[in-house]
Amino acid sequence: MRRIAGGALIALLIAQAGVAGVLTATLEDGTEIARFEIPEGSGWCVLWRHSVKGFEVADCYENRGGRMVLVRSHLPDFAAGLDHIPGRGRQVSDGGGGYWIEDLDEPVPGDAYVLRLGRGNVDHRLRVGDDIQSLSERAPRARVRIALTGDRD
């Protein structure tokens, strides 16, 4: 009996470890402009520059069980359109005059969303580890679908 239970546990652990994801950015016609492998528990950020102030803003996500989850955002200032909503995460200083909104833990419906890319100095980018790819360079002002897909139950 223990041998069967142990085997079932190993199979479960292998299945959980196998929840790999693929992060893609695609144009409306299906053309892929960026692709990253995102293992379970790993994350990425969408970066852009505020259109008025010019500083970098970041929304950071994680692959949790094959699902796209917004985990934190970095906002260097309380500029137009940027603010912390009480009850939605926890605001903490970044030590440089801006702030992080931590503990957002918001699943993204359908594990995807559509984003209209900025052009020029707005420069929407995807950052996975040290790899940064500019979506705006590849398709300025286009609508792109950013999605996490992969193995799921």
Side-chain angles (χ1 to χ4, degrees):
M1 188 67 160
R2 280 189 170 184
R3 177 174 262 162
I4 292 171
L9 177 60
I10 290 170
L12 176 64
L13 292 173
I14 290 170
Q16 288 297 316
V19 183
V22 177
L23 179 68
T24 57
T26 54
L27 300 176
E28 289 180 289
D29 67 2
T31 302
E32 190 174 279
I33 62 170
R35 175 189 265 303
F36 295 93
E37 296 290 323
I38 308 290
E40 160 69 26
S42 294
W44 68 94
C45 295
V46 176
L47 310 172
W48 74 95
R49 290 188 190 91
H50 190 272
S51 61
V52 176
K53 296 281 193 166
F55 51 64
E56 186 172 271
V57 178
D59 286 325
C60 300
Y61 301 82
E62 191 173 286
N63 173 355
R64 290 192 184 164
R67 302 291 177 199
M68 181 188 292
V69 178
L70 176 63
V71 293
R72 66 194 300 222
S73 291
H74 183 250
L75 307 160
D77 193 324
F78 288 97
L82 303 179
D83 200 359
H84 173 238
I85 300 168
R88 184 176 179 244
R90 181 175 53 88
Q91 180 180 324
V92 297
S93 172
D94 69 0
Y99 60 100
W100 282 96
I101 302 173
E102 299 282 358
D103 304 324
L104 286 166
D105 299 322
E106 296 177 357
V108 174
D111 303 310
Y113 61 92
V114 175
L115 174 66
R116 170 78 64 187
L117 299 178
R119 63 182 173 137
N121 63 345
V122 173
D123 193 21
H124 282 94
R125 291 154 284 142
L126 288 175
R127 180 182 68 206
V128 177
D130 293 332
D131 190 0
I132 300 175
Q133 295 185 19
S134 175
L135 303 178
S136 293
E137 258 181 34
R138 295 172 184 175
R141 301 187 76 179
R143 285 172 41 102
V144 297
R145 181 174 186 267
I146 296 175
L148 180 68
T149 58
D151 300 331
R152 295 193 188 113
D153 293 337

